[in-house]
Amino acid sequence: MLDQTEGYVTADGRKIGGVVMEMKNITLRFGGVEAIKDISFDIREGEIRAIIGPNGAGKSSMLNVISGFYIPQQGEVWYKGAPRPPMKPFEVARQGIARTFQNIALFEGMSVLDNVMTGRLTQMQTGLFAQAFWKGKAEAEETENREKAEKVIDFLEIQAIRKTPVARLPYGLKKRVELARALAAEPTILLLDEPMAGMNVEEKEDMSRFILDVNDEFGTTIALIEHDMGVVMDLSDRVVVMDYGKKIGDGTPDEVRSNQDVIDAYLGVSHD
Amino acid sequence: MPEQLVFAMEVFLNGLMAGVMYALVALGFVLIFKASGIFNFAQGVMALFAAMTFVGIQNGQVPFAHLINAIFGTKIHYFGWEVYSVFAILLTVGVMILLAWMVQRFVFRHLVGQEPIILFMATIGLAYFLEGVADLMWGSEIKRLDVCLTDNTCLPQGINLAIDEFTFEIFGYGFFIDNLDITATIIAILLVTLLVVFSQYTKQGRAMRAVADDHQAALSVGVSLNAIWILVWSVAGFVALVAGIMWGAKSGVQFSLSLIALKALPVLMLGGFTSIPGAIIGGLIIGVGEKLFEFAIGPMIGGATENWFAYVLALLFLVFRPQGLFGEKIIERV
């Protein structure tokens, strides 16, 4: 079993730290519909945590709760050991939680480089007047941010399309640019909403490799939602399984795989 | 023949200058439309309000004087001082920023996610409200506007910036340009340069472009939509001030100034609602087009073509190229 305070060591020998985010009894309703029913789980430093479940299970809603797009009616989100007050999405982003979207939300009119640079906005300190009158400082900051952005671009192997307007890119590359933008913010937690949706096998393999590399290279904590069971089981350290807004399983991929509720949910047993 | 040619050139040049004035107004529309998807019907009234505030501050007028006098039975109208143009401009910029904050706080913050037509209706309401406030604050009489462009009263002795008009000779014929138009052109170029530098090279500019492009994505990279919208309305207020001062200097500060917004509409249809270069080139085309049309075709059909030329041109564009010259192509995915 997992050590609750100290973290644990994965099968491939990576050290996972303490709890960085904890969801406590989250309930989210839209009108009379309960999208999330009393769910609790934690995310630990340095791990790849997956949330899976069939369509309409409430996975995306959960991600939106974490990133501040939805405010739950009940329950608390604990971040870095303290309860988080209700926040706007931009405030959550400024706290070091970056995300991507299921249907890609990029700045279509901007180049790839500009898109990645917007990821640096949370890291820029210089005010408007300082930028206008204190050219040296603003320039130094711009150069530093530019270097960080270029590093991410190199890392995700999109140097060749740096100057291309995003609107012209194919779907798979757009997903990669979105990952680059989120990564440029140097987030504490990276949230990925179906990073492999709509990709072919080759693109899926690339994306899996990048996710593992990001986690390995930068030590970034990653929480991801995914449909594709096979991919999730290979990638993640621990998995939460949701069905009809409820948590039906939580544990390592092996534990989840042998969980009867999970098997029922995926293979389809009548719910009464 | 050379006489005709020189005259045509003069008409062309004057058209360009008039176009710059149209472009100044159109710019304010484009800024707000790009960043928030709101077609701001109140842009013309904002220009009027800014110009009246500027003149009021400059002349040391007491704001809401009529209201105060009516309630307390006093007879105050002026503070009895005059404010230098530069300070008056700075103070007016402050007022426009305050206005931007209030518009966002009391109107558009409550309308987030509403249909565009509802936002548009809100700006119509805003236009009439602002016109009323301007009347109540500064009175309704026509005022002269001096910013060292048309006279020298505000400059030290011996410096002469103000030439009413500018004449030189080509082929032995006089060539005439209004001095104010030259100043307007220079100011418009400076303004556009400033806007481009701001939006391309500053953090706030980058955030502004991000919001204009995709709200959800902007939120996810830590941009506060509210803060950016206040910023955009402030910038539009600043552009309105520049337009208000230039138009006010040309034709006096009066309530018909708010109607210049109507002249900006054909400019926007030509240039596209989402393009800053489009607003400028659209303005120039309309300016030159209506002057040349009046010059070449006007006499044949009884003149006064300037009143309708721009609108007919806009109508043609609506039929054949609805997104304008530079606007984003409208693609509806089914």
Side-chain angles (χ1 to χ4, degrees), chain A residues 110-128:
Chain A
M110 297 187 198
S111 69
V112 169
L113 178 62
D114 274 349
N115 264 279
V116 178
M117 282 296 281
T118 59
R120 299 292 307 165
L121 280 172
T122 49
Q123 307 285 333
M124 295 187 187
Q125 304 296 329
T126 325
L128 182 58

Side-chain angles (χ1 to χ4, degrees), chain B residues 49-50 53-60 79 81-99 137-138 238 241:
Chain B
F49 179 78
T53 307
F54 169 73
V55 175
I57 291 174
Q58 204 183 23
N59 295 341
F79 288 118
W81 65 61
E82 289 203 354
V83 181
Y84 281 114
S85 298
V86 183
F87 295 123
I89 287 177
L90 287 178
L91 280 171
T92 313
V93 169
V95 171
M96 294 315 280
I97 290 173
L98 188 70
L99 178 72
M137 233 172 139
W138 306 111
F238 178 67
L241 171 65

Side-chain angles (χ1 to χ4, degrees), chain A residues 37-41 51-54 57 229 239-251 255-269 271:
Chain A
K37 291 168 196 155
D38 193 28
I39 288 190
S40 305
F41 66 91
I51 303 172
I52 62 169
M229 279 285 266
V239 181
V240 177
V241 192
M242 288 175 74
D243 189 24
Y244 288 98
K246 284 186 297 226
K247 185 168 97 169
I248 56 170
D250 186 358
E255 286 168 353
V256 165
R257 221 178 261 135
S258 53
N259 182 325
Q260 191 55 46
D261 287 337
V262 177
I263 297 168
D264 288 350
Y266 266 89
L267 295 181
V269 165
H271 294 261

Side-chain angles (χ1 to χ4, degrees), chain A residues 69 89-90 93-94 99 101 105-110 114 117-119 121-122 124 128 131 142 181, chain B residues 198 200-204 206-207 209-211 213-214 216-225 231:
Chain A
F69 280 82
F90 74 90
R94 287 177 189 179
R99 69 166 293 174
F101 293 85
L106 281 169
F107 306 117
E108 298 268 326
M110 297 187 198
D114 274 349
M117 282 296 281
T118 59
L121 280 172
T122 49
M124 295 187 187
L128 182 58
Q131 290 172 74
E142 180 78 10
R181 184 183 64 195
Chain B
F198 172 73
Q200 296 293 323
Y201 299 106
T202 67
K203 174 191 168 187
Q204 284 76 9
R206 195 171 274 137
R209 280 191 294 149
V211 171
D213 206 313
D214 190 315
Q216 217 178 28
L219 280 173
S220 81
V221 293
V223 174
S224 157
L225 296 183
L231 180 71

Side-chain angles (χ1 to χ4, degrees), chain A residues 9 97 123 152:
Chain A
V9 178
I97 298 176
Q123 307 285 333
V152 171

Side-chain angles (χ1 to χ4, degrees), chain A residues 45-47 187-188 212-222:
Chain A
E45 219 178 316
E47 77 178 340
T188 311
L212 287 172
D213 283 354
V214 165
N215 176 258
D216 202 34
E217 181 93 355
F218 305 113
T220 313
T221 308
I222 297 172

Side-chain angles (χ1 to χ4, degrees), chain A residues 150-168:
Chain A
E150 296 283 3
K151 205 178 132 199
V152 171
I153 287 175
D154 278 356
F155 187 78
L156 293 179
E157 296 165 18
I158 44 179
Q159 308 94 320
I161 50 163
R162 287 166 65 246
K163 297 282 180 186
T164 316
V166 163
R168 274 200 233 139

